Amino acid sequence: MTLWVAVLAGCALAYLTKLAGHLVPAAKLEGRRMRRVTGLLPVALLTSLVVVQTFAASGGGLSVDARVFGLGAAVLALVLRAPFIVVVVVGAAVAAGLRALGWS
Amino acid sequence: MQPAAGEAGGAATGGLDARTRTAVLRQAWSVGIATGAYGISFGALGVASGLDVWQTCALSLLMFTGGSQFAFVGVIGAGGTGVAAIATATLLGVRNGLYGLQVSEFLHDRGWQRGVAAHLTIDESTAVGIAQPTVRASQVGFWQTGIAVFIFWNLFTLAGALLGNALGDPRRWGLDAAAAAAFVALLWPRLRSRDAAATAAAAVVLTVVVAPWAPAGIPVLVAALAAVAVGLLPPTPSPSPAPSPSFPPAEIDVARTTRRAFGSQRQSRGRATPMEPEERPNAEASADEEHPR
């Protein structure tokens, strides 16, 4: 599958998901449990993405490098209620700074 | 409360008094600018993950849901397959379907306008829409926010993609760590309930256990089982009176975003004609509460 096909297929599915919500009558709202599951889905996926993005080694498996400190700085920024863009820049800057100093 | 809901649909601002219109427009566009600005980080991460500028821009134009877009390029950047990227992005986008259910109760658009409204159904437009005191204000809030975010999100994505292209080696600039920071920033406001914390903990364990053995992209999909497991368990009593998991959207703190973008003024929030009496306290809580943890 070329990257373009994946991009467009992903976009199509994202749109169909949104449209489905508009077209399904509210009376057919799923059960309470299903709603809890779908509500928690982003938490599970985003948590996993944080772990993967922080620890995934290029050759497979997990490793620890400057990204861990970038993540730590980002969490600190969130605790201090920094806006999204500041959190991202702080995370990148700490990792880039450590690498510029020669640490992994 | 039976305003001319059907007639004056869409993005037009008719049917509102001047004060309400100003308040809604200010909120919508300040959220649009604040949200759109981080499109720059998505654009830079997109090209850092191996997409070209046009593919990155296509995601912002056509997928138009930030979390799914970050997830898509994250999986691709980690070496995952297109199928894994699509699956992760689609699962993250499921919440937009739930938003669609909720906003279609006040939108009343038909035909092509409904098709456009569906595309604009994201965290921010839903949050601003349901936070309004009347049906008409909700319609305007939803549409104006959706349009504002769409414009700025796409402009900043293009800027970020061009910038990212010019930067060269993404690791040197810490862009791999920026992706982790972006995900944790998207996750952070969702971790308010005990269920969410349990889900996150289980997702960490599943990812760490699966990652050394599975191809890239698969651990994230396996971690989705954490949501299924916690969601099907009997609910634990939550310390806060608003345990409903991120619905209405708790992740976008509209009032705070607005205050950030426009100093310390607060939106006045009429409560005389609540649309959904049992949802209203929730919307209030998610918009006004200052980090209960």
Side-chain angles (χ1 to χ4, degrees):
Chain A
M1 178 185 313
T2 70
L3 199 45
W4 263 117
V5 174
V7 166
L8 295 178
C11 292
L13 282 172
Y15 181 72
L16 290 175
T17 308
K18 293 172 177 175
L19 190 64
H22 283 256
L23 296 183
V24 173
K28 294 207 173 156
L29 210 67
E30 328 111 275
R32 209 181 154 71
R33 283 190 166 177
M34 207 49 225
R35 213 155 139 157
R36 282 182 73 212
V37 170
T38 48
L40 291 170
L41 207 48
V43 174
L45 293 167
L46 289 169
T47 304
S48 183
L49 284 163
V50 170
V51 174
V52 166
Q53 204 68 51
T54 307
F55 296 102
S58 49
L62 302 174
S63 72
V64 172
D65 62 24
R67 288 174 294 175
V68 179
F69 295 93
L71 178 69
V75 170
L76 188 63
L78 284 166
V79 171
L80 298 175
R81 300 183 184 181
F84 185 96
I85 189 76
V86 173
V87 173
V88 173
V89 169
V90 164
V94 167
L98 286 173
R99 282 175 184 148
L101 294 173
W103 198 84
S104 70
Chain B
M1 179 176 56
Q2 285 296 330
E7 298 91 272
T13 58
L16 288 180
D17 64 85
R19 241 186 83 197
T20 310
R21 187 170 67 227
T22 307
V24 174
L25 287 182
R26 177 174 294 160
Q27 189 172 18
W29 285 82
S30 57
V31 168
I33 293 166
T35 307
Y38 71 77
I40 204 161
S41 55
F42 171 73
L45 289 173
V47 295
S49 307
L51 280 72
D52 64 29
V53 172
W54 302 118
Q55 288 163 338
T56 304
C57 288
L59 282 175
S60 280
L61 279 168
L62 302 174
M63 189 175 277
F64 189 53
T65 171
S68 297
Q69 293 178 227
F70 277 109
F72 188 96
V73 302
V75 171
I76 294 290
T81 63
V83 172
I86 293 168
T88 307
T90 304
L91 280 174
L92 257 179
V94 164
R95 69 186 190 288
N96 291 328
L98 299 176
Y99 296 161
L101 279 173
Q102 199 172 10
V103 298
S104 62
E105 285 174 16
F106 61 72
L107 280 182
H108 311 304
D109 290 302
R110 289 286 173 271
W112 67 269
Q113 284 196 328
R114 184 189 248 182
V116 177
H119 192 51
L120 298 180
T121 304
I122 53 170
D123 297 326
E124 293 80 9
S125 54
T126 304
V128 173
I130 64 178
Q132 304 309 319
T134 66
V135 166
R136 186 71 198 112
S138 286
Q139 294 170 344
V140 173
F142 172 90
W143 274 99
Q144 293 285 335
T145 307
I147 290 167
V149 174
F150 189 81
I151 290 171
F152 290 109
W153 179 251
N154 281 289
L155 286 177
F156 279 105
T157 295
L158 176 62
L162 295 173
L163 185 70
N165 241 4
L167 288 179
D169 178 18
R171 290 186 75 248
R172 191 178 151 214
W173 301 97
L175 285 186
D176 49 350
F183 287 128
V184 84
L186 290 170
L187 171 66
W188 195 254
R190 295 175 180 275
L191 287 178
R192 289 179 175 178
S193 73
R194 209 173 280 180
D195 279 355
T199 304
V204 169
V205 172
L206 282 172
T207 306
V208 169
V209 168
V210 171
W213 317 103
I218 302 301
V220 178
L221 296 176
V222 174
L225 293 174
V228 178
V230 175
L232 293 183
L233 285 174
T236 48
S238 181
S240 100
S244 125
S246 78
F247 199 82
E251 66 276 15
I252 301 302
D253 196 327
V254 174
R256 239 179 70 210
T257 312
T258 312
R259 284 202 293 281
R260 276 240 169 75
F262 274 96
S264 62
Q265 63 201 328
R266 298 179 62 104
Q267 300 295 325
S268 72
R269 218 173 270 273
R271 304 188 67 172
T273 52
M275 279 183 303
E276 299 129 321
E278 69 284 342
E279 294 282 3
R280 194 54 51 177
N282 247 347
E284 289 278 335
S286 69
D288 279 344
E289 116 196 290
E290 299 280 353
H291 286 256
R293 285 171 309 110

